[in-house]
Protein backbone atom coordinates (compact mmCIF):
# COMPACT_ATOMS: atom_id res chain seq x y z
CA UNK A 1 0.00 0.00 0.00
CA UNK A 2 1.38 3.40 -0.93
CA UNK A 3 0.72 6.61 0.98
CA UNK A 4 -1.63 9.23 -0.46
CA UNK A 5 0.34 12.19 -1.82
CA UNK A 6 -1.09 14.51 0.83
CA UNK A 7 0.61 12.56 3.64
CA UNK A 8 4.39 12.83 3.78
CA UNK A 9 6.37 10.84 6.30
CA UNK A 10 9.72 12.37 7.16
CA UNK A 11 11.47 9.38 8.60
CA UNK A 12 14.03 10.43 11.18
CA UNK A 13 15.94 8.31 13.67
CA UNK A 14 15.88 7.54 17.37
CA UNK A 15 16.89 10.98 18.65
CA UNK A 16 14.08 12.61 16.66
CA UNK A 17 10.66 11.12 16.08
CA UNK A 18 9.25 10.96 12.57
CA UNK A 19 7.48 14.11 11.35
CA UNK A 20 4.31 13.48 9.38
CA UNK A 21 3.36 16.38 7.14
CA UNK A 22 -0.22 16.72 5.87
CA UNK A 23 -1.30 18.94 2.99
CA UNK A 24 -4.66 20.18 4.24
CA UNK A 25 -7.95 21.27 2.65
CA UNK A 26 -7.38 24.92 3.56
CA UNK A 27 -4.25 25.18 1.37
CA UNK A 28 -2.13 25.05 4.53
CA UNK A 29 -0.13 22.23 6.03
CA UNK A 30 0.02 20.44 9.38
CA UNK A 31 2.77 18.39 10.98
CA UNK A 32 2.42 15.63 13.53
CA UNK A 33 5.39 15.64 15.95
CA UNK A 34 8.45 17.84 15.62
CA UNK A 35 11.52 15.82 16.64
CA UNK A 36 14.29 16.55 19.11
CA UNK A 37 15.62 20.05 19.69
CA UNK A 38 19.18 19.40 18.52
CA UNK A 39 17.83 18.37 15.10
CA UNK A 40 15.63 21.43 14.67
CA UNK A 41 17.45 22.91 11.65
CA UNK A 42 17.11 19.66 9.74
CA UNK A 43 13.46 19.41 10.83
CA UNK A 44 12.71 22.90 9.54
CA UNK A 45 14.40 22.11 6.22
CA UNK A 46 12.57 18.80 5.77
CA UNK A 47 9.20 20.31 6.62
CA UNK A 48 9.85 23.21 4.24
CA UNK A 49 10.46 20.73 1.44
CA UNK A 50 7.39 18.65 2.26
CA UNK A 51 4.90 21.51 2.60
CA UNK A 52 5.62 22.81 -0.91
CA UNK A 53 5.18 26.47 -0.12
CA UNK A 54 1.97 26.01 1.86
CA UNK A 55 1.97 27.81 5.21
CA UNK A 56 2.48 25.55 8.22
CA UNK A 57 -0.69 26.20 10.18
CA UNK A 58 -0.65 23.53 12.84
CA UNK A 59 1.52 21.23 14.93
CA UNK A 60 -0.19 18.18 16.42
CA UNK A 61 1.65 16.21 19.10
CA UNK A 62 0.93 12.55 19.86
CA UNK A 63 2.60 13.16 23.22
CA UNK A 64 5.08 15.63 24.55
CA UNK A 65 8.22 13.62 25.05
CA UNK A 66 11.31 15.58 24.08
CA UNK A 67 11.86 13.63 20.85
CA UNK A 68 8.31 14.41 19.66
CA UNK A 69 7.84 18.02 20.80
CA UNK A 70 11.41 19.38 20.76
CA UNK A 71 10.79 21.41 17.60
CA UNK A 72 7.49 22.95 18.76
CA UNK A 73 8.87 26.23 20.10
CA UNK A 74 11.05 27.06 17.07
CA UNK A 75 8.46 26.05 14.49
CA UNK A 76 5.76 28.01 16.28
CA UNK A 77 7.95 31.12 16.42
CA UNK A 78 8.92 30.71 12.78
CA UNK A 79 5.49 30.03 11.29
CA UNK A 80 3.10 31.44 13.87
CA UNK A 81 1.33 28.08 13.71
CA UNK A 82 -0.92 26.60 16.36
CA UNK A 83 0.12 23.75 18.66
CA UNK A 84 -2.43 21.07 19.48
CA UNK A 85 -1.66 18.57 22.25
CA UNK A 86 -3.47 15.76 24.09
CA UNK A 87 -5.14 16.93 27.31
CA UNK A 88 -3.34 14.54 29.69
CA UNK A 89 -0.32 16.73 30.28
CA UNK A 90 -1.75 20.15 29.47
CA UNK A 91 -1.45 21.34 33.08
CA UNK A 92 2.21 20.38 33.16
CA UNK A 93 2.84 22.28 29.94
CA UNK A 94 0.98 25.30 31.35
CA UNK A 95 3.21 25.27 34.41
CA UNK A 96 6.21 23.99 32.40
CA UNK A 97 6.98 21.51 35.16
CA UNK A 98 10.21 19.92 33.86
CA UNK A 99 10.23 17.29 36.60
CA UNK A 100 6.75 16.06 35.91
CA UNK A 101 7.23 16.41 32.15
CA UNK A 102 10.05 13.83 32.32
CA UNK A 103 12.72 16.06 30.81
CA UNK A 104 14.76 16.39 33.97
CA UNK A 105 14.57 12.71 34.91
CA UNK A 106 15.63 11.67 31.43
CA UNK A 107 18.31 14.40 31.21
CA UNK A 108 16.71 15.48 27.94
CA UNK A 109 16.00 18.98 26.69
CA UNK A 110 12.77 20.43 25.36
CA UNK A 111 12.38 24.19 24.85
CA UNK A 112 9.19 25.45 26.52
CA UNK A 113 6.22 26.04 24.22
CA UNK A 114 2.61 27.02 24.65
CA UNK A 115 -0.35 25.21 23.12
CA UNK A 116 -3.48 26.55 21.43
CA UNK A 117 -5.88 23.61 21.48
CA UNK A 118 -6.39 20.22 23.06
CA UNK A 119 -7.12 17.05 21.11
CA UNK A 120 -9.30 14.79 23.22
CA UNK A 121 -9.63 11.06 22.63
CA UNK A 122 -12.48 10.44 20.16
CA UNK A 123 -12.23 13.93 18.65
CA UNK A 124 -12.06 14.04 14.87
CA UNK A 125 -9.28 16.02 13.21
CA UNK A 126 -9.18 16.97 9.56
CA UNK A 127 -5.67 16.29 8.24
CA UNK A 128 -4.57 15.93 4.64
CA UNK A 129 -8.16 16.04 3.44
CA UNK A 130 -9.24 13.07 5.60
CA UNK A 131 -10.92 12.59 8.97
CA UNK A 132 -8.70 11.23 11.72
CA UNK A 133 -9.99 9.97 15.05
CA UNK A 134 -7.93 10.68 18.14
CA UNK A 135 -7.52 7.42 20.09
CA UNK A 136 -6.14 6.92 23.59
CA UNK A 137 -2.81 5.07 23.65
CA UNK A 138 -1.77 4.66 27.28
CA UNK A 139 1.17 2.45 28.20
CA UNK A 140 4.37 4.13 27.00
CA UNK A 141 2.94 7.44 28.20
CA UNK A 142 -0.53 7.70 29.68
CA UNK A 143 -1.27 10.99 27.93
CA UNK A 144 -0.26 9.71 24.49
CA UNK A 145 -2.75 9.47 21.62
CA UNK A 146 -2.76 7.81 18.21
CA UNK A 147 -4.49 9.07 15.07
CA UNK A 148 -6.69 6.74 13.03
CA UNK A 149 -8.13 7.25 9.57
CA UNK A 150 -10.80 4.58 9.05
CA UNK A 151 -11.31 5.58 5.41
CA UNK A 152 -7.67 4.96 4.47
CA UNK A 153 -7.00 2.27 7.09
CA UNK A 154 -3.95 4.22 8.24
CA UNK A 155 -2.85 4.48 11.87
CA UNK A 156 -0.33 6.94 13.28
CA UNK A 157 0.75 4.74 16.16
CA UNK A 158 3.24 7.10 17.88
CA UNK A 159 5.30 5.01 20.34
CA UNK A 160 2.56 2.44 20.98
CA UNK A 161 3.62 0.20 18.09
CA UNK A 162 6.79 0.16 16.03
CA UNK A 163 7.77 -2.41 13.47
CA UNK A 164 9.98 -3.87 16.20
CA UNK A 165 8.43 -3.32 19.60
CA UNK A 166 7.20 -0.13 21.27
CA UNK A 167 8.45 2.59 23.60
CA UNK A 168 9.61 2.04 27.18
CA UNK A 169 6.67 1.70 29.57
CA UNK A 170 7.65 4.83 31.51
CA UNK A 171 4.83 4.89 34.09
CA UNK A 172 5.97 1.51 35.47
CA UNK A 173 9.39 2.96 36.32
CA UNK A 174 7.69 5.32 38.73
CA UNK A 175 5.50 2.57 40.18
CA UNK A 176 2.40 3.52 38.14
CA UNK A 177 0.72 0.61 36.29
CA UNK A 178 1.43 0.73 32.55
CA UNK A 179 1.78 -2.83 31.26
CA UNK A 180 -1.95 -3.58 31.24
CA UNK A 181 -2.61 -0.22 29.54
CA UNK A 182 -0.06 -1.02 26.82
CA UNK A 183 -1.70 -4.41 26.31
CA UNK A 184 -5.10 -2.72 25.95
CA UNK A 185 -3.62 -0.28 23.43
CA UNK A 186 -2.24 -3.18 21.37
CA UNK A 187 -5.64 -4.87 21.53
CA UNK A 188 -7.29 -1.68 20.27
CA UNK A 189 -4.84 -1.56 17.35
CA UNK A 190 -5.65 -5.20 16.59
CA UNK A 191 -9.36 -4.37 16.44
CA UNK A 192 -8.75 -1.50 14.04
CA UNK A 193 -6.92 -3.80 11.61
CA UNK A 194 -4.86 -1.02 10.06
CA UNK A 195 -3.73 -1.51 6.48
CA UNK A 196 -0.75 0.69 7.12
CA UNK A 197 0.97 1.92 10.28
CA UNK A 198 3.06 5.08 10.45
CA UNK A 199 5.05 4.66 13.67
CA UNK A 200 6.67 7.39 15.75
CA UNK A 201 10.08 5.98 14.81
CA UNK A 202 11.11 3.90 11.80
CA UNK A 203 9.58 3.34 8.39
CA UNK A 204 5.84 2.85 7.78
CA UNK A 205 4.79 -0.77 7.42
CA UNK A 206 1.71 -2.44 5.99
CA UNK A 207 -0.14 -5.70 5.32
CA UNK A 208 1.39 -8.80 6.87
CA UNK A 209 4.07 -6.67 8.54
CA UNK A 210 1.35 -5.06 10.70
CA UNK A 211 0.17 -8.47 11.95
CA UNK A 212 3.75 -9.55 12.58
CA UNK A 213 4.53 -6.35 14.49
CA UNK A 214 1.40 -6.75 16.62
CA UNK A 215 2.19 -10.36 17.43
CA UNK A 216 5.74 -9.51 18.41
CA UNK A 217 4.53 -6.57 20.51
CA UNK A 218 2.06 -8.80 22.36
CA UNK A 219 4.80 -11.29 23.24
CA UNK A 220 7.05 -8.45 24.28
CA UNK A 221 4.54 -6.92 26.68
CA UNK A 222 3.87 -10.37 28.19
CA UNK A 223 7.61 -10.85 28.59
CA UNK A 224 7.95 -7.49 30.34
CA UNK A 225 4.99 -8.16 32.63
CA UNK A 226 6.51 -11.48 33.63
CA UNK A 227 9.60 -9.72 34.99
CA UNK A 228 9.22 -5.93 35.37
CA UNK A 229 12.96 -5.59 35.91
CA UNK A 230 13.25 -6.08 32.13
CA UNK A 231 11.39 -2.80 31.56
CA UNK A 232 13.83 -0.98 33.87
CA UNK A 233 16.81 -2.55 32.11
CA UNK A 234 15.43 -1.51 28.75
CA UNK A 235 14.63 2.00 30.00
CA UNK A 236 18.12 2.56 31.28
CA UNK A 237 19.66 1.22 28.07
CA UNK A 238 17.38 3.41 25.93
CA UNK A 239 17.95 6.56 28.01
CA UNK A 240 21.72 6.17 27.98
CA UNK A 241 21.84 5.31 24.27
CA UNK A 242 19.67 8.39 23.58
CA UNK A 243 22.00 10.63 25.57
CA UNK A 244 25.02 9.15 23.81
CA UNK A 245 23.43 9.83 20.43
CA UNK A 246 22.84 13.41 21.51
CA UNK A 247 26.26 14.06 23.08
CA UNK A 248 28.23 11.67 20.81
CA UNK A 249 30.79 11.23 23.65
CA UNK A 250 30.21 10.47 27.32
CA UNK A 251 32.65 9.75 30.11
CA UNK A 252 31.86 6.98 32.58
CA UNK A 253 31.52 9.76 35.18
CA UNK A 254 28.81 11.44 33.09
CA UNK A 255 27.13 8.08 32.63
CA UNK A 256 27.09 7.66 36.42
CA UNK A 257 25.39 11.05 36.78
CA UNK A 258 22.78 10.02 34.22
CA UNK A 259 22.06 6.78 36.04
CA UNK A 260 21.71 8.71 39.31
CA UNK A 261 19.26 11.17 37.70
CA UNK A 262 17.24 8.38 36.08
CA UNK A 263 16.75 6.73 39.46
CA UNK A 264 15.39 9.88 41.09
CA UNK A 265 11.65 9.64 41.46
CA UNK A 266 11.53 6.27 39.71
CA UNK A 267 10.72 3.98 42.62
CA UNK A 268 10.59 0.79 40.58
CA UNK A 269 14.03 1.51 39.14
CA UNK A 270 15.42 2.20 42.59
CA UNK A 271 14.14 -1.18 43.72
CA UNK A 272 15.61 -2.86 40.65
CA UNK A 273 19.00 -1.23 41.06
CA UNK A 274 19.95 -1.29 44.73
CA UNK A 275 23.65 -1.12 43.77
CA UNK A 276 25.49 2.14 43.52
CA UNK A 277 25.04 4.17 40.32
CA UNK A 278 28.76 3.89 39.59
CA UNK A 279 28.62 0.11 39.30
CA UNK A 280 25.46 0.42 37.19
CA UNK A 281 27.16 2.91 34.88
CA UNK A 282 30.13 0.58 34.40
CA UNK A 283 27.77 -2.26 33.59
CA UNK A 284 25.74 -0.10 31.17
CA UNK A 285 28.92 1.07 29.44
CA UNK A 286 29.75 -2.56 28.72
CA UNK A 287 26.21 -3.15 27.47
CA UNK A 288 26.36 -0.19 25.08
CA UNK A 289 29.65 -1.43 23.65
CA UNK A 290 28.31 -4.96 23.32
CA UNK A 291 25.17 -3.67 21.55
CA UNK A 292 27.37 -1.86 19.04
CA UNK A 293 26.07 1.59 20.09
CA UNK A 294 29.46 2.73 21.38
CA UNK A 295 33.17 2.09 21.32
CA UNK A 296 35.28 2.70 24.38
CA UNK A 297 38.47 4.70 24.61
CA UNK A 298 39.68 4.52 28.21
CA UNK A 299 37.13 6.41 30.26
CA UNK A 300 35.20 7.74 27.26
CA UNK A 301 32.35 6.17 25.33
CA UNK A 302 32.08 7.26 21.69
CA UNK A 303 28.85 6.88 19.75
CA UNK A 304 29.09 4.67 16.69
CA UNK A 305 26.24 6.53 14.95
ZN1 LIG B 1 7.71 8.80 23.69
Amino acid sequence: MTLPDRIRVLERGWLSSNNIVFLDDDAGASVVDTGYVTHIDETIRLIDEAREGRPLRRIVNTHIHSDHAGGNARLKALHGCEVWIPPGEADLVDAWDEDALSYRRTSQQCPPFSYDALIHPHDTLRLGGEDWTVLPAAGHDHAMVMLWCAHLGILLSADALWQKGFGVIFPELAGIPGFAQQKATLELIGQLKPRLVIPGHGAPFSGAAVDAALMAAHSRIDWLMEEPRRNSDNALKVLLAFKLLEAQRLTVGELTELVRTSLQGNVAMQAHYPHDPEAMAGFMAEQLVRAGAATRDGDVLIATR
Side-chain angles (χ1 to χ4, degrees):
M1 181 187 172
T2 51
L3 278 171
D5 187 50
R6 289 169 74 177
I7 306 176
R8 288 144 190 225
V9 180
L10 312 178
E11 191 189 334
R12 308 298 295 276
W14 290 102
L15 197 57
S16 278
S17 68
N18 292 338
N19 321 118
I20 302 104
V21 174
F22 292 87
L23 306 187
D24 294 328
D25 292 331
D26 62 358
S30 300
V31 63
V32 173
D33 290 338
T34 61
Y36 193 62
V37 62
T38 55
H39 283 170
I40 183 63
D41 291 335
E42 175 80 347
T43 303
I44 290 171
R45 192 184 63 71
L46 290 170
I47 292 175
D48 279 353
E49 236 172 67
R51 67 190 171 89
E52 293 182 349
R54 290 161 174 251
L56 184 69
R57 296 228 164 96
R58 182 170 46 174
I59 291 167
V60 178
N61 289 126
T62 56
H63 60 311
I64 47 180
H65 280 167
S66 65
D67 54 332
H68 291 253
N72 282 14
R74 267 285 291 284
L75 284 165
K76 187 172 183 175
L78 194 64
H79 294 282
C81 57
E82 295 200 341
V83 175
W84 295 11
I85 66 168
E89 283 174 331
D91 291 347
L92 305 181
V93 173
D94 281 333
W96 204 257
D97 183 339
E98 294 227 339
D99 285 311
L101 282 167
S102 84
Y103 306 136
R104 187 129 38 218
R105 245 175 304 131
T106 55
S107 306
Q108 295 170 9
Q109 334 166 36
C110 186
F113 61 87
S114 60
Y115 62 86
D116 304 280
L118 297 176
I119 49 168
H120 290 92
H122 312 295
D123 280 357
T124 302
L125 305 185
R126 192 84 186 153
L127 292 168
E130 299 283 350
D131 286 338
W132 297 77
T133 309
V134 179
L135 293 175
H140 165 69
D141 176 275
H142 284 351
M144 186 168 77
V145 298
M146 307 183 286
L147 297 172
W148 167 240
C149 177
H151 175 231
L152 297 173
I154 296 180
L155 177 74
L156 266 63
S157 62
D159 292 343
L161 180 69
W162 301 331
Q163 188 151 13
K164 288 205 169 93
F166 45 78
V168 169
I169 308 301
F170 279 107
E172 287 279 346
L173 304 178
I176 299 161
F179 295 137
Q181 286 76 359
Q182 171 63 13
K183 219 171 154 54
T185 298
L186 292 174
E187 268 150 24
L188 171 62
I189 297 174
Q191 285 159 14
L192 299 172
K193 300 195 193 319
R195 293 167 64 199
L196 184 136
V197 172
I198 302 174
H201 301 267
F205 49 97
S206 61
V210 176
D211 299 330
L214 265 175
M215 242 168 63
H218 271 291
S219 358
R220 181 169 174 80
I221 192 67
D222 291 342
W223 181 77
L224 292 174
M225 283 169 107
E226 222 172 82
E227 178 44 86
R229 156 90 196 230
R230 291 167 178 158
N231 185 52
S232 291
D233 287 347
N234 183 45
L236 202 53
K237 196 174 77 194
V238 166
L239 289 171
L240 297 182
F242 186 94
K243 204 61 197 174
L244 185 62
L245 264 181
E246 182 190 347
Q248 290 294 304
R249 296 167 70 88
L250 288 173
T251 64
V252 176
E254 286 167 329
L255 218 55
T256 306
E257 253 341 281
L258 289 168
V259 171
R260 196 168 280 135
T261 312
S262 305
L263 295 178
Q264 277 163 18
N266 282 328
V267 289
M269 277 183 120
Q270 287 163 14
H272 292 146
Y273 305 124
H275 313 296
D276 64 304
E278 212 168 326
M280 260 331 280
F283 174 71
M284 290 313 295
E286 269 172 45
Q287 296 284 307
L288 288 168
V289 171
R290 194 167 308 160
T295 55
R296 190 161 176 170
D297 181 7
D299 209 29
V300 184
L301 285 176
I302 301 146
T304 50
R305 280 173 292 175

